[in-house]
Amino acid sequence: MSTLTTTPALHQHRYPPLPVPRLPDVPDGVWHHGVANRSLAEWVARIVRLARPDDVVWLTGADDEWERLTTGMVESGALLRLDPALRPDSFLARSDPDDVARVEDRTFVCSRTAREAGPTNNWWDPREAHNELDRRFAESMRGRTMYVVPYSMGPVGGAISQLGVQVTDSAYAALSLTVMARVGDDALAEIGPDTPWVAGVHSVGFPLRKGDGTRREDVPWPSNPVKYIAHFPEERAIWSYGSGYGGNALLSKKCFALRIASVLGRDGGWLAEHMLVLRLTSPDGRITHVAAAFPSACGKTNLAMLQPTLPGWRVETIGDDIAWLRPGADGRLWAINPEAGFFGVAPGTNEASNPVAVDTIRKHTIFTNVALTDDGDVWWEGRTPEPPAHLTDWRGQDWTPGAGRPAAHPNARFTVPVQQCRTLADSWAEPDGVPIDAIVFGGRRATNVPLVTEARDWTHGVFVGATVSSETTAAQEGALGVLRRDPFGMLPFVGYDMGDHWQHWLDVGARLGEHAPRIFQVNWFRKGDDGSFLWPGFGENVRVLAWIADRVHGAADAEETGLGLRPVAGALDLDGLTLGDDTLAALFAVDPESWLDECARTDEFFGQLGESVPPELHEHLAALRSRLWHDHEGTAPHPSASRTTVGTAVTRAA
Ligand code: SAT
Ligand code: MN
């Protein structure tokens, strides 16, 4: 039996012949022997009739798929092969300069009613959306190959896992999907006649041939100035047009695993969240599983691959971006990473910030929009302290250190299989996931938010998650460094009404009861008066994780502040760190005045969200204001307070 190889004959043998009748007017090659689901077969045929690709290629997960796709893309000029000695089996893609990040203003939720999408999403009437998209997709794939990519999010066949199929005319998207999800015949075989699956229709909107026969040359990164990223939660479908980049094009990721899955989770009693998952082991072997939510490009990959500076502690990686969390039979909250790859931010990645990522991407990696060195390797800002004397920048132009512009795009990315990560936990592919002990919310905040606090209970934790703000990063289009509300790090990713999302969190917490994970808030990004970061971050963040683990296991003390619980003096292990008392005080300072401002903005934000904000969260806001007011004025609670205050505010250092 050891001589068996993956041949077409074997596949024919493994799967029954297509039980679905052929539809007329469909070119040869559309059918795949593995298809056992009529709606899937009909849908593929429908897209072929609409978009008119020249060829249809099903990705099977065969061993040579990567080789075939990358070779073809190097030949067509879509990829550049990096130096095989310096960066084996790795490639560089350069996007169109107008297609470099997610486009939130072109992202739509097409639920039946506007109420369901809520005020934080762009709602688009599903009938109007379908009309417009049908118009855009008509003949949009002429002259191109359409890839059909079946995939599983989560281990194939796992209880929390879900299935999807993306059709795309982008070889780059198809190739990236083979890294980011479990792609191929094994996933397809899971889609039985009645199995639910999520449909993803993707076109870059750059046909090579018009209906009248006129042709045009392909370009290395085809895209269209008109972009739509449209979600149809009721239909479990995603239609994406015009962009080839990241979350716009890899529909398994933000579109499915967050926006559509958040709706599936709302209806099915589970959570789809923008969270890394890690496994923390203490020197005495105690294990703590942490799920942590941060907005895009706030260092989730760095935290997930953290190399602890505290002796004896160990961090293992389970996921770096998305978690699906589900109450288990034992009453605890279990989590999987539904993805199979990392789509990480390259700039800033180096031996100090993330040595594990540096190793992970040594080979077999797709780089997008990084700079190219003269010897055929990659470079980005922060890769080395000194930039090389000459580079080819992300647009393919000559670059020297005095150029006055970055060599890599700030949202440049690496795409790499999780298996290449040396800190990957054995349990990362457990079909049932891992039991979560602590949930962490974070953002990028120069001011106000302390290094770490613990929520008093689940409801308070939901309030903390709901009120997260963060300074914007290069992962979304628009101005950088602007403070915006980003509840749960999910502002652009909840596929339904935000207030309903918070209510769903309260409901899940009520179901978990005493088994619910503890909830914490962290901020690595607080700055001093001179504008420099107060906390060293990266590997030193294990000190905060260690306190969190100790809290979970009842081994560390905390004291009240106006915002929640914080480490008592000495509880946070600062051994070996040169951190002055003033710095420590500044890291934990709670300034009542600026917090009262912050509360006023929260009030305004809740007001914008309207009726669906759970009353419990309004009550928590009132209680917080009351505590702050008391601290500020030293007087009786503010009249807006509707609850008794808890504890006293503390502004001195731990
Ligand atoms: O959505 S992407 O995958 O392009 C990146 C992010 O925003 O986290
Ligand atoms: Mn993300």
Side-chain angles (χ1 to χ4, degrees), residues 101-102 104 245-248 250 253-254 259 274 295-297 300 321 343 345 411 413 475-476 493:
R102 281 185 295 101
E104 292 180 8
Y245 207 90
N248 299 333
L250 314 179
K253 200 170 176 57
K254 308 297 169 148
R259 296 196 193 94
H274 197 201
S296 298
K300 284 206 297 298
D321 195 37
F343 181 64
V345 180
N411 194 36
R413 297 275 175 161
Q476 62 270 338
F493 303 129

Side-chain angles (χ1 to χ4, degrees), residues 421-605:
C421 174
R422 67 174 145 90
T423 57
L424 191 68
D426 288 343
S427 53
W428 89 274
E430 275 301 323
D432 293 335
V434 295
I436 297 299
D437 300 292
I439 288 173
V440 173
F441 293 118
R444 188 180 282 272
R445 289 297 305 266
T447 60
N448 271 20
V449 179
L451 178 64
V452 58
T453 50
E454 181 183 348
R456 292 181 194 92
D457 55 29
W458 182 272
T459 307
H460 181 221
V462 172
F463 172 77
V464 168
T467 52
V468 166
S469 298
S470 190
E471 286 132 26
T472 50
T473 66
Q476 62 270 338
E477 284 211 322
L480 288 183
V482 179
L483 190 64
R484 76 164 183 179
R485 292 278 154 182
D486 198 345
F488 294 75
M490 285 285 280
L491 178 72
F493 303 129
V494 177
Y496 61 101
D497 180 85
M498 188 59 82
D500 289 350
H501 184 59
W502 301 347
Q503 184 59 52
H504 181 53
W505 265 79
L506 293 177
D507 295 345
V508 170
R511 198 164 133 205
L512 294 167
E514 61 179 29
H515 297 299
R518 305 268 276 268
I519 300 182
F520 299 81
Q521 179 168 38
V522 301
N523 178 24
W524 319 131
F525 301 97
R526 201 162 185 177
K527 289 180 177 173
D529 294 336
D530 64 354
S532 58
F533 289 113
L534 292 168
W535 179 250
F538 306 120
E540 305 293 0
N541 292 340
V542 72
R543 298 170 188 275
V544 172
L545 292 183
W547 181 72
I548 288 173
D550 285 349
R551 287 294 296 162
V552 165
H553 300 285
D557 287 332
E559 63 193 6
E560 280 289 348
T561 77
L563 306 176
L565 305 162
R566 67 165 206 192
V568 294
L572 194 62
D573 188 341
L574 299 173
D575 239 24
L577 212 58
T578 37
L579 207 63
D581 286 350
D582 290 354
T583 306
L584 197 56
L587 274 166
F588 281 96
V590 179
D591 174 37
E593 202 163 333
S594 55
W595 267 101
L596 281 165
D597 282 351
E598 181 124 6
C599 288
R601 289 199 300 272
T602 299
D603 204 14
E604 204 181 308
F605 180 53

Side-chain angles (χ1 to χ4, degrees), residues 593-642:
E593 202 163 333
S594 55
W595 267 101
L596 281 165
D597 282 351
E598 181 124 6
C599 288
R601 289 199 300 272
T602 299
D603 204 14
E604 204 181 308
F605 180 53
F606 283 6
Q608 286 161 6
L609 296 187
E611 299 281 290
S612 61
V613 174
E616 289 94 325
L617 301 196
H618 283 292
E619 284 166 26
H620 267 276
L621 178 60
L624 172 59
R625 275 179 144 168
S626 163
R627 286 192 298 270
L628 294 163
W629 191 266
H630 184 268
D631 230 44
H632 186 46
E633 303 283 299
T635 59
H638 185 256
S640 73
S642 61

Side-chain angles (χ1 to χ4, degrees), residues 115 126 163 284 293 316 318 381 423 441 452 519 607 643 652:
R115 161 68 183 83
L163 298 151
D284 53 10
E316 289 164 281
I318 292 171
E381 276 61 31
T423 57
F441 293 118
V452 58
I519 300 182
R643 277 200 164 179
R652 65 180 162 72

Side-chain angles (χ1 to χ4, degrees), residues 61-117:
D63 291 342
D64 64 349
E65 214 144 53
W66 166 274
E67 193 61 42
R68 278 192 296 115
L69 285 167
T70 53
T71 304
M73 291 172 73
V74 169
E75 273 165 22
S76 76
L79 288 182
L80 228 133
R81 189 183 292 277
L82 295 168
D83 182 82
L86 296 173
R87 200 63 65 166
D89 200 21
S90 297
F91 302 87
L92 169 62
R94 292 190 188 118
S95 84
D96 186 286
D98 291 326
D99 191 21
V100 293
R102 281 185 295 101
V103 282
E104 292 180 8
D105 59 338
R106 305 301 302 164
T107 299
F108 302 89
V109 171
C110 310
S111 42
R112 245 181 318 247
T113 63
R115 161 68 183 83
E116 261 178 291

